[in-house]
Amino acid sequence: MDLKLKRHPLSPLLAPVPGHIWEDKFVFNCAVVYDGELFHLLYRAQGQDMVSRIGYAVSTDGVHFNRLEKPVFSPACQDELYGVEDPRITKLGDKYYMLYTAYSPKGPRVAMASTKNFITWERYGIVIKDEIDNKNAALFPEKINGKYIMIHRFPPDIWFAYSDDLINWGNYVKVAGPREGYWDNLKVGAGAPPIKTPYGWLLLYHGVEDAPRPIYRLGFMLLDLNDPTKVLKRSEKPILEPEEDWEIFGGVPNVVFSDAMVEYNGQYYVYYGAADNYIALATISVDEVFEWCKS
């Protein structure tokens, strides 16, 4: 059984804004959470200086968003000299924790901040220390066996790290890697924070095909509820791949890349960056995904 996401007819939803010098070139890879009333969207943007900043938009229906004119999260230290990138949001307790890529001459590294209102932030700095070229980080939405779990990436694989306090991380474990002969044969990375289902943790991930111009596609993994290092199932074929002109041509061609999946009205809403130019939405029914999980 192969799953396919359906593009929302209004996609792409968000585009660069002429006149906003921080987001007039590219808007892409976003985090989204739904609090029961509102969709909160944090997105990566680049403007004239090509430094990545994070903007905020809000919606009542997950499709029509109102955006703030200024970024809500910007580089604040030397570890973020080139930008703050690719946020992923998880609610734990009464706070929303954002993992993001801090990019500098040291390379991409995993950093964290938290908020209650998406406007003011508490920063924790680099949380996987003494490592470079690490990104694609997301948190599980609850402790498992008494530990917080972070998904991250040592290229080309998906790894876990564990913590008692969300600040100090260790015990790195490799979970999944590229597959020879498949659409994800070059490298893989986490997409959205995992969603708990009756059948396991549903992890959206991106896979990259080794091609003259690497191709980024999306797929699912199903991880064991009690031991998520066990991969129960994995997409044989991609659930979304670049097909539209605005996904094939752009700042980085041949890319669909997601940091956000939200369950809403019996659907999974997958928000994704398209060729690093736009933010788009694709959906799939929860029932259909559950059938895949069971098959």
Side-chain angles (χ1 to χ4, degrees), residues 2-124:
D2 295 323
L3 300 176
K4 287 292 182 182
L5 301 184
K6 297 178 181 177
R7 290 168 181 80
H8 193 279
L10 294 182
S11 285
L13 304 185
L14 277 73
V17 179
H20 288 187
I21 61 171
W22 64 279
E23 61 170 347
D24 62 0
K25 286 190 175 293
F26 308 113
V27 297
F28 51 121
N29 308 344
C30 64
V32 182
V33 291
Y34 177 61
D35 66 9
E37 294 184 356
L38 297 173
F39 291 80
H40 305 275
L41 185 150
L42 296 161
Y43 63 95
R44 178 180 171 188
Q46 291 178 316
Q48 297 298 317
D49 58 8
M50 292 302 291
V51 172
S52 292
R53 298 172 176 85
I54 293 175
Y56 171 76
V58 64
S59 171
T60 58
D61 63 4
V63 177
H64 303 88
F65 283 88
N66 293 314
R67 297 154 75 167
L68 295 186
E69 291 191 359
K70 296 181 179 181
V72 294
F73 197 85
S74 296
C77 62
Q78 290 297 306
D79 285 329
E80 300 170 353
L81 190 63
Y82 297 159
V84 290
E85 304 177 352
D86 301 351
R88 293 168 175 86
I89 286 278
T90 301
K91 188 176 185 184
L92 291 165
D94 63 348
K95 292 182 180 180
Y96 293 95
Y97 287 85
M98 178 176 72
L99 290 175
Y100 64 96
T101 300
Y103 189 35
S104 76
K106 299 177 183 178
R109 304 168 79 193
V110 176
M112 186 171 72
S114 67
T115 186
K116 292 184 177 181
N117 57 23
F118 304 99
I119 305 299
T120 57
W121 297 85
E122 180 180 358
R123 291 175 181 261
Y124 305 93

Side-chain angles (χ1 to χ4, degrees), residues 226-251:
N226 298 314
D227 180 5
T229 63
K230 296 180 180 178
V231 179
L232 305 178
K233 196 163 190 177
R234 188 165 165 180
S235 295
E236 293 290 305
K237 296 181 180 179
I239 61 173
L240 188 72
E241 56 188 319
E243 293 175 341
E244 301 290 336
D245 279 355
W246 42 272
E247 298 167 341
I248 296 171
F249 304 103

Side-chain angles (χ1 to χ4, degrees), residues 199-229:
Y199 310 100
W201 291 101
L202 183 65
L203 176 65
L204 179 71
Y205 79 102
H206 65 265
V208 186
E209 180 184 355
D210 189 8
R213 179 76 215 192
I215 304 170
Y216 282 71
R217 301 179 175 97
L218 299 180
F220 282 136
M221 290 185 195
L222 187 67
L223 310 177
D224 186 83
L225 285 175
N226 298 314
D227 180 5
T229 63

Side-chain angles (χ1 to χ4, degrees), residues 74-213:
S74 296
C77 62
Q78 290 297 306
D79 285 329
E80 300 170 353
L81 190 63
Y82 297 159
V84 290
E85 304 177 352
D86 301 351
R88 293 168 175 86
I89 286 278
T90 301
K91 188 176 185 184
L92 291 165
D94 63 348
K95 292 182 180 180
Y96 293 95
Y97 287 85
M98 178 176 72
L99 290 175
Y100 64 96
T101 300
Y103 189 35
S104 76
K106 299 177 183 178
R109 304 168 79 193
V110 176
M112 186 171 72
S114 67
T115 186
K116 292 184 177 181
N117 57 23
F118 304 99
I119 305 299
T120 57
W121 297 85
E122 180 180 358
R123 291 175 181 261
Y124 305 93
I126 304 297
V127 287
I128 296 188
K129 304 183 186 301
D130 302 322
E131 300 286 352
I132 62 172
D133 196 8
N134 195 346
K135 59 197 309 185
N136 299 328
L139 291 172
F140 276 75
E142 62 184 57
K143 284 185 175 181
I144 300 175
N145 299 319
K147 298 286 187 180
Y148 295 106
I149 302 179
M150 178 199 298
I151 309 167
H152 62 113
R153 187 214 70 185
F154 292 140
D157 307 311
I158 293 173
W159 290 67
F160 285 174
Y162 295 83
S163 175
D164 294 316
D165 58 8
L166 288 172
I167 305 300
N168 299 289
W169 295 88
N171 189 24
Y172 304 147
V173 178
K174 178 183 170 181
V175 176
R179 297 177 293 183
E180 187 176 351
Y182 282 81
W183 56 275
D184 51 5
N185 63 4
L186 181 62
K187 58 183 177 179
V188 294
I195 292 178
K196 194 175 189 179
T197 79
Y199 310 100
W201 291 101
L202 183 65
L203 176 65
L204 179 71
Y205 79 102
H206 65 265
V208 186
E209 180 184 355
D210 189 8
R213 179 76 215 192

